[in-house]
Amino acid sequence: MEKTLKILGVSGWGIPEDWYGHLIQNNFPNALVDSTYPSDPFDSEEAQYILKSSSYDLIIAYSLGSLWILTHKAFIPEKTRVTLLAPILAYPKESELGGKTSLTQLKYLSRAIKRKGSEPVLNEFYLDCRLSAPQITGNSPFCSTPLLQGLNFLETGVADLGKARDCLAIMGEKDVLLDFNIIRRLLPNLVVVPNAGHDPELLIQTLARELRLSSK
């Protein structure tokens, strides 16, 4: 009998983990899917607990989740395959590693969360990035603290390019947050999806297709 695939989805900044896990489940209907979002991306103990708590066959890390996975990749068993969607190697534009957002913009976002709270900032983020994530309507899965910690992580985190090149990476040609031309130079095997943006849905669909092709 064929083994059931066990998948861990690691969602991105402001992306509800249950919604992200649902997208993965839709494209891997026979898999057992868990999804998570690190409450503190800097916390190595949290990362170790999440990544060593179960024996996953595949990790699908998206956006901030990709930078988090690369930061804590030492905790992932060797047999687990890691894939990166909308891969972040370093988020600030000033790092020249593919991010389009300036440090000034990141700091403004932090101030906006402190001033307005998470709900309006998340809804604006979804709209600006053309994300199909459900709008926040008062029952936000995110309070301000993990969002601010995530922004701090995005301000300072830098991926090990060697670890990133070991992973299958996929991003959209029209991603408003990441420059595929720069990232493709750094990750020569990057799969670029035409007409896709930062929304994970088309990226997950492409990943499922790539894995089916590679298994034949």
Side-chain angles (χ1 to χ4, degrees):
M1 188 170 65
E2 187 176 347
K3 177 186 174 184
T4 300
L5 192 69
K6 293 184 69 176
I7 300 176
L8 174 65
V10 186
S11 68
W13 186 86
I15 303 300
E17 60 190 69
D18 290 346
W19 177 82
Y20 181 64
H22 181 69
L23 291 182
I24 295 173
Q25 190 72 73
N26 283 347
N27 288 277
F28 295 87
N30 298 319
L32 294 175
V33 178
D34 293 331
S35 57
T36 190
Y37 177 84
S39 60
D40 181 355
F42 294 100
D43 188 346
S44 60
E45 290 186 2
E46 179 189 18
Q48 185 172 6
Y49 174 78
I50 292 171
L51 297 173
K52 287 190 172 183
S53 60
S54 296
S55 180
Y56 293 106
D57 302 298
L58 175 66
I59 294 175
I60 305 175
Y62 164 68
S63 197
L64 180 147
S66 66
L67 182 59
W68 180 79
I69 279 291
L70 294 172
T71 301
H72 301 289
K73 200 164 183 279
F75 298 129
I76 301 173
E78 288 186 9
K79 66 176 185 176
T80 301
R81 184 169 188 178
V82 177
T83 59
L84 311 173
L85 306 184
I88 293 178
L89 306 176
Y91 195 66
K93 184 177 181 179
E94 291 84 349
S95 298
E96 299 183 345
L97 292 176
K100 293 180 179 179
T101 305
S102 69
L103 282 169
T104 299
Q105 289 171 300
L106 275 172
K107 293 181 185 300
Y108 170 80
L109 202 55
S110 294
R111 291 195 300 271
I113 290 173
K114 292 173 184 176
R115 187 174 69 253
K116 302 177 184 178
S118 61
E119 180 181 333
V121 174
L122 283 178
N123 284 330
E124 186 175 348
F125 172 70
Y126 297 157
L127 184 63
D128 290 346
C129 297
R130 303 180 182 89
L131 293 170
S132 58
Q135 284 200 327
I136 300 301
T137 57
N139 295 313
S140 172
F142 292 100
C143 62
S144 296
T145 299
L147 290 175
L148 292 170
Q149 287 174 328
L151 290 174
N152 191 22
F153 181 67
L154 290 172
E155 281 187 35
T156 58
V158 180
D160 182 324
L161 291 181
K163 292 178 181 178
R165 288 172 183 144
D166 291 337
C167 306
L168 172 62
I170 300 172
M171 70 172 293
E173 179 185 28
K174 297 183 178 179
D175 194 313
V176 298
L177 300 180
L178 302 170
D179 188 326
F180 79 90
N181 286 304
I182 294 175
I183 295 175
R184 187 161 55 184
R185 288 199 296 270
L186 299 168
L187 305 180
N189 295 323
L190 178 72
V191 176
V192 179
V193 184
N195 299 317
H198 197 71
D199 191 292
E201 188 164 11
L202 281 177
L203 307 183
I204 294 171
Q205 291 174 10
T206 301
L207 170 62
R209 185 167 59 250
E210 289 282 328
L211 294 181
R212 283 195 298 268
L213 290 173
S214 66
S215 65
K216 291 181 179 179

